Amino acid sequence: MNSHKVISIRNLTPSTYVIRMEKKDFTFRTGQYITLGFSGSIDRREYSIYSAEQDDYLEVLIKEVEDGLLSKRLKKCKPGDELDVDGAFGHFSLKDDEIKSKKFMFISTGTGISPIHSFIHTHPEMDYTLLHGIRHKEEAYESESYDPNRYILCTSGENTGDFNGRVTEYLLKNPVSPDTICYLCGNCHMIYEAYDILEKQGIKLGPIHTEVYF
Amino acid sequence: MKTIAFKTLGCRLNQYETDALASTFQNNNYKLVDFESEADVYVINSCTVTHQSDHKSRNFISQANRRNKDSVLVVTGCMANNAKEELESRDEINYVLENDNKSALFSLVDSHFKGELKHPSQLDKDLFAYGATEKGFHTRSMIKIQDGCDNFCTFCIIPSVRGRAKSRPFQAILDNVKAVINQGAKEVVITGVNIGRYEFETYKFDDLIEAILNLDGDFRLRISSLEPDGFGDKFLGLLSHPKMTPHLHLCLQSGSDEVLLRMRRMYTVKTFRNTVEKVRAIRPDFNFTTDIIIGFPGESEADFTESCDMIKNLEFGHVHAFKYSIRKGTRAERMTDQVLEKTKTERSEILRGIAENSKLNYRSQFIGKIQRVLVESTDGNTAKGYGEHYIPVQFEGENLKKNTFYSILIKDIAAENDGLLLGELV
Ligand SMILES: Cc1cc2nc3c(=O)[nH]c(=O)nc-3n(C[C@H](O)[C@H](O)[C@H](O)COP(=O)(O)OP(=O)(O)OC[C@H]3O[C@@H](n4cnc5c(N)ncnc54)[C@H](O)[C@@H]3O)c2cc1C
C-alpha cells in the first residue's frame, strides 16, 4: 500500500466528484480498481480507476452514497491530503488480442461508467458503443469526452437523454449483434437483467465481463 | 527430547503447512505428540473464515494452556493475522505468528529454547519456504503452488489475511513434485488459496498441471479446491489424463445468479453447469464436490431453492455447506438485508438433507465397479483410504500396507457411515 497525494478534486454534480492523485510508480490494467482510504485509517473502499493507463495521474470517479462513510469523507479531501492506495485489483479488463479486432458494447449505470472511461481513453481507437444509464441528465459525467456517435445516454427519470428509459429497456428495443463483446458495470440488478437480455439475444459472452459495485 | 503438538483448522493449505512444519520439527529431534497430550510446544494453525472457526481456535488455545501452563504456545494461521492485537494481549500465548512468517516457526521455537527470544517481525518472510512433508500425517503429498487471492469476493476475509496472490516459481514446484515422488509419494495434491489463478512468468495454471502430469513415476495427481473461473478448455482436457484423478472441488457458493453477482463471484450458474456437463460428457462418473454458503445477505427463498436445485441436478459427491457469518471488513458486512439466523438454520437443515441424498445417489453408482484405493490407515486386516474419485473406501485383507494402491471391487455403501464405500480385494 502506498500513500498518494491528492492533486485536485473536480466536482461534476453536487454529489459526484473526481479525485485526481499523483500516480508515482503505480501501474494497472485499464478496467481494474483500487482500494482507497485516508492514510492510516482502516476504513477502505473499492474504486474503479477512471483515468487512462498512459495518464501521468490517477483518477477515481465517486458518488456520495446516502449515509455512506467514505464516499462522504473523500469528498472533503483537499489538494495535498494523503490517501492510501492499494491495488490494482480485479479481472474486469480487455483482452489484448480483442482490442483492435472486435466490436464492443459497454453498458454502465451511474459511476459504473468509470472503468469504461478508462477503457476508451486508454484505447481511443476501439470500435465501441457505450450505453450509460442514469436518472437525470446532470449525471452524464463528462459525456463530452466520448465520441457522440458512440455514446447513448439513457435517462430513466426524465426525457432528456438519447433514450428515455433504463439501459435494459434500450437493449430490449435495440438488440445487440451476437458477435459483440459486452462489458457490464454498475449495480447488481442492472447487470443481472442486462446479462439475461444479452444472452437471449444470442450474445456469446464468453467469459463474463461484469463489475458489480453494489 | 522436546515434544510438540499441532492443531490445524480450516483449509487444506493450512493442513499442508502444518505437515511441512511438523516434518521440520521431527527432523530436528522433536517428538510429535497428539494435541490431547501434554507437550512442550503447542502450535495452533488457526482459521478465521467463519465465526465458528474463530470460536474453535480460541477453544484450542485454552485447551493447550490448560494441558501445560509452562508450554510454549504459538498461534499462527489466518486468525493470527485477523485478530493479532487481541491474541497478543493474551498472556498465555507466547507468540502470534502471521501467515507470511509461518514458515519460520521452527527458527522461532528453536531460538526460544536456546534462550534467544525473537520477535516474529525478525523472522524471514517466505510463503513457500516449507520443507518436504515426508514424516507428516498423510499419505497424500501436498504441494503448495501459490498463496493469497485477489478475487475479493464480498463475503470473504481471505485476501486480507493471506494477502495478494503470489505464485511459486514453476521450476521449484516441479522439483518439489519430483522430490516427493522419489520419496515414495503416490498421490500429489496441488494446493493454494486460489490455484486456478497460478501465473509465473509465461506459465499459467494449465501449463503447470500439464508439466506435472508429464513427470515420470507411479503417482496420481489431485487438484484440491478450485474456483470456477480462471481456467479454460486446456485444463478441462487435462482432466482425461491417466494420472489425473477424476475429482474436483469446484466452489459454487450459490445456485442463484443474483446472489453470485452480489458475492462478486466471476461466473454464472450456467457457466458452472456447463463446466460440469463438459467434464461429465467425457467421464460420466466424475466427482464434483462443492461449497455452498447458506443465507448470504439478500438470499430469498427463491435464491435458496435454486441452490438446492443445483445440488439435486448436478449430483455433487459432497457438499460442504455453511451458514453465512459476517466477517469484519468485508463488503457483505455492510449489506443491509442480512438473513435471520433462524432462517439460515432452517435452510441449512433442508440443504444438508438434499446434499446427503445427492452424495448417496452419486456414490451408489460405484457399487459393482473397481476403485484404485490408496490406503491411508490400516491395522493390517482392515484398511481405509480413498479411491481415485476421492470417496472413502474400506476393505479387508491380510498384511495390508499403508501408502499402497489396491484394486477394490465396491460391494456396498454404508449410508449410516457418511456414505463410506465397502469393498473387497480383486
Ligand atoms: C469493484 C468495485 C468498484 C467500485 N467502484 C466505484 C466507483 O468507481 N465509484 C463509486 O462511486 N463507487 C464505486 N464502488 C462502490 C464503493 O466501493 C463504495 O461502496 C461506495 O463509495 C460507498 O461507500 P461508503 O463508505 O460511502 O458507504 P458505506 O458506509 O459502505 O455504506 C453505507 C450504506 O450504503 C449502502 N451502499 C454502499 N455502496 C452503495 C452504492 N454504491 N450504492 C448504493 N448504496 C450503497 C450500504 O449497503 C450501506 O447501507 C465500487 C465498488 C466495487 C466493489
Side-chain angles (χ1 to χ4, degrees):
Chain A
M1 191 140 53
N2 276 312
S3 184
H4 291 238
K5 230 184 221 45
V6 173
I7 299 170
S8 63
I9 306 273
R10 192 158 81 244
N11 288 309
L12 306 185
T13 73
S15 63
T16 308
Y17 53 99
V18 173
I19 302 182
R20 179 177 291 190
M21 292 161 275
E22 51 181 9
K23 192 174 186 187
K24 296 178 151 178
D25 52 3
F26 186 88
T27 55
F28 67 101
R29 274 178 65 82
T30 177
Q32 288 193 295
Y33 66 89
I34 54 171
T35 66
L36 197 61
F38 286 97
S39 285
S41 160
I42 52 162
D43 297 311
R44 315 188 52 75
R45 300 289 183 264
E46 302 85 348
Y47 294 101
S48 296
I49 299 169
Y50 185 65
S51 45
E53 281 177 13
Q54 66 274 19
D55 288 339
D56 54 7
Y57 48 79
L58 201 57
E59 283 187 338
V60 286
L61 169 73
I62 304 180
K63 183 178 167 72
E64 260 184 300
V65 165
E66 223 181 282
D67 300 325
L69 180 76
L70 223 63
S71 57
K72 278 193 191 307
R73 280 197 201 157
L74 286 167
K75 188 161 188 279
K76 299 197 184 96
C77 286
K78 301 257 169 336
D81 284 356
E82 295 280 349
L83 296 177
D84 277 348
V85 172
D86 198 10
F89 300 112
H91 306 285
F92 189 70
S93 19
L94 301 167
K95 292 213 175 93
D96 289 337
D97 55 338
E98 292 179 345
I99 294 168
K100 288 206 172 79
S101 59
K102 293 278 196 296
K103 216 166 36 183
F104 291 87
M105 173 61 115
F106 298 132
I107 303 164
S108 61
T109 46
T111 50
I113 199 166
S114 177
I116 316 286
H117 178 273
S118 177
F119 283 162
I120 294 169
H121 289 80
T122 301
H123 302 288
E125 71 285 6
M126 281 175 95
D127 180 5
Y128 72 90
T129 303
L130 164 56
L131 274 191
H132 188 203
I134 51 172
R135 223 163 284 155
H136 306 289
K137 195 167 181 188
E138 63 160 20
E139 295 160 293
Y141 313 125
E142 304 194 307
S143 55
E144 66 288 353
S145 71
Y146 307 97
D147 176 348
N149 297 319
R150 296 180 177 279
Y151 177 81
I152 300 162
L153 185 67
C154 302
T155 48
S156 59
E158 58 194 23
N159 192 4
T160 45
D162 304 303
F163 177 81
N164 181 209
R166 294 171 189 276
V167 290
T168 42
E169 290 165 306
Y170 179 90
L171 289 172
L172 284 171
K173 291 196 175 135
N174 300 277
V176 178
S177 90
D179 56 346
T180 313
I181 305 213
C182 301
Y183 283 77
L184 287 65
C185 182
N187 71 61
C188 174
H189 292 299
M190 178 283 281
I191 292 177
Y192 180 69
E193 283 176 30
Y195 189 95
D196 202 41
I197 295 168
L198 292 169
E199 212 173 28
K200 289 199 177 106
Q201 291 176 356
I203 298 279
K204 293 178 203 64
L205 289 160
I208 338 158
H209 300 297
T210 59
E211 188 76 305
V212 176
Y213 281 4
F214 185 68
Chain B
M1 197 186 241
K2 295 248 184 268
T3 52
I4 182 163
F6 286 85
K7 186 52 117 188
T8 310
L9 292 107
C11 62
R12 288 224 195 171
L13 184 55
N14 255 8
Q15 190 61 60
Y16 154 80
E17 288 166 349
T18 297
D19 288 2
L21 293 167
S23 294
T24 310
F25 279 93
Q26 284 176 301
N27 290 338
N28 286 281
N29 287 324
Y30 279 72
K31 183 164 182 251
L32 198 60
V33 296
D34 279 349
F35 190 76
E36 286 66 34
S37 317
E38 191 176 319
D40 299 311
V41 187
Y42 288 99
V43 180
I44 293 150
N45 195 357
S46 65
C47 168
T48 193
V49 79
T50 60
H51 274 311
Q52 219 184 2
S53 24
D54 280 346
H55 182 70
K56 279 188 195 162
S57 302
R58 285 196 182 91
N59 241 333
F60 288 125
I61 295 167
S62 308
Q63 282 180 26
N65 185 51
R66 250 181 279 131
R67 259 173 225 132
N68 181 3
K69 286 203 174 357
D70 299 324
S71 63
V72 177
L73 177 49
V74 186
V75 181
T76 184
C78 292
M79 194 187 175
N81 283 62
N82 202 34
K84 190 166 176 236
E85 280 169 18
E86 174 211 319
L87 295 171
E88 280 180 339
S89 69
R90 288 179 63 166
D91 290 341
E92 68 273 33
I93 300 174
N94 298 71
Y95 298 103
V96 178
L97 198 59
E98 290 183 89
N99 277 320
D100 55 359
N101 287 135
K102 200 195 279 185
S103 65
L105 174 72
F106 176 74
S107 146
L108 179 76
V109 173
D110 197 44
S111 306
H112 180 95
F113 286 124
K114 287 180 178 149
E116 181 196 342
L117 300 187
K118 280 188 183 167
H119 189 267
S121 61
Q122 295 168 267
L123 299 170
D124 286 344
K125 286 190 198 302
D126 189 332
L127 296 170
F128 302 112
Y130 290 91
T133 59
E134 75 258 43
K135 289 187 194 156
F137 312 118
H138 300 282
T139 54
R140 281 167 272 148
S141 231
M142 288 190 260
I143 304 285
K144 180 175 177 181
I145 66 162
Q146 68 85 245
D147 203 330
C149 184
D150 293 342
N151 274 15
F152 288 93
C153 298
T154 53
F155 54 82
C156 187
I157 189 80
I158 289 181
S160 54
V161 289
R162 281 269 178 192
R164 297 204 58 182
K166 275 192 203 72
S167 293
R168 187 178 175 191
F170 187 78
Q171 197 52 47
I173 298 172
L174 292 186
D175 292 345
N176 192 181
V177 177
K178 279 187 223 159
V180 298
I181 297 170
N182 285 338
Q183 284 165 12
K186 295 284 189 292
E187 186 168 309
V188 170
V189 184
I190 298 301
T191 186
V193 176
N194 185 356
I195 59 177
R197 296 276 179 191
Y198 178 85
E199 194 166 359
F200 182 78
E201 293 172 348
T202 55
Y203 300 108
K204 295 253 163 70
F205 178 60
D206 43 17
D207 302 318
L208 177 68
I209 298 304
E210 186 176 40
I212 295 175
L213 288 169
N214 287 335
L215 294 175
D216 291 334
D218 178 26
F219 71 98
R220 64 187 187 191
L221 183 66
R222 194 178 295 291
I223 308 289
S224 58
S225 186
L226 195 63
E227 294 297 312
D229 58 88
F231 59 82
D233 283 347
K234 177 171 169 187
F235 172 70
L236 296 183
L238 293 172
L239 294 176
S240 316
H241 192 286
K243 280 189 174 143
M244 183 72 104
T245 53
H247 164 236
L248 273 187
H249 187 82
L250 206 57
C251 308
L252 174 63
Q253 308 301 12
S254 170
S256 152
D257 276 328
E258 268 208 88
V259 175
L260 290 178
L261 281 174
R262 281 201 308 273
M263 290 176 168
R264 284 181 51 81
R265 304 285 289 168
M266 277 171 272
Y267 52 87
T268 60
V269 168
K270 189 173 168 192
T271 54
F272 188 98
R273 196 185 297 122
N274 281 348
T275 303
V276 172
E277 285 170 357
K278 243 189 220 171
V279 173
R280 287 212 177 130
I282 299 166
R283 185 137 191 188
D285 65 1
F286 197 99
N287 188 13
F288 282 99
T289 55
T290 200
D291 290 341
I292 298 277
I293 295 177
I294 298 162
F296 184 76
E299 182 190 74
S300 64
E301 237 1 88
D303 294 324
F304 172 67
T305 304
E306 287 186 273
S307 291
C308 295
D309 290 346
M310 273 298 263
I311 298 172
K312 286 181 203 155
N313 295 337
L314 296 185
E315 242 184 31
F316 289 105
H318 179 74
V319 178
H320 182 210
F322 45 96
K323 289 193 277 182
Y324 169 76
S325 66
I326 293 180
R327 299 279 67 196
K328 254 190 142 35
T330 59
R331 278 195 80 78
E333 179 200 3
R334 302 194 299 276
M335 293 183 179
T336 44
D337 37 5
Q338 302 285 337
V339 174
L340 292 175
E341 204 50 41
K342 181 169 158 279
T343 310
K344 285 189 225 171
T345 305
E346 285 164 5
R347 289 181 185 170
S348 271
E349 270 163 36
I350 296 169
L351 193 131
R352 292 218 163 98
I354 294 168
E356 203 47 41
N357 275 340
S358 157
K359 178 196 271 184
L360 294 179
N361 272 344
Y362 170 77
R363 292 186 177 182
S364 299
Q365 68 179 303
F366 291 94
I367 296 174
K369 291 187 185 156
I370 289 174
Q371 283 279 292
R372 196 160 177 250
V373 178
L374 180 61
V375 171
E376 296 205 350
S377 62
T378 180
D379 58 5
N381 301 320
T382 303
K384 224 171 147 180
Y386 285 86
E388 58 271 42
H389 291 73
Y390 202 58
I391 304 171
V393 179
Q394 185 173 300
F395 61 97
E396 316 274 309
E398 282 171 25
N399 258 331
L400 299 172
K401 289 195 180 65
K402 207 178 148 177
N403 200 31
T404 306
F405 284 119
Y406 292 92
S407 286
I408 302 299
L409 175 66
I410 305 302
K411 302 292 278 186
D412 204 358
I413 178 166
E416 70 295 345
N417 193 358
D418 203 25
L420 175 73
L421 296 181
L422 306 170
E424 58 185 38
L425 281 161
V426 290

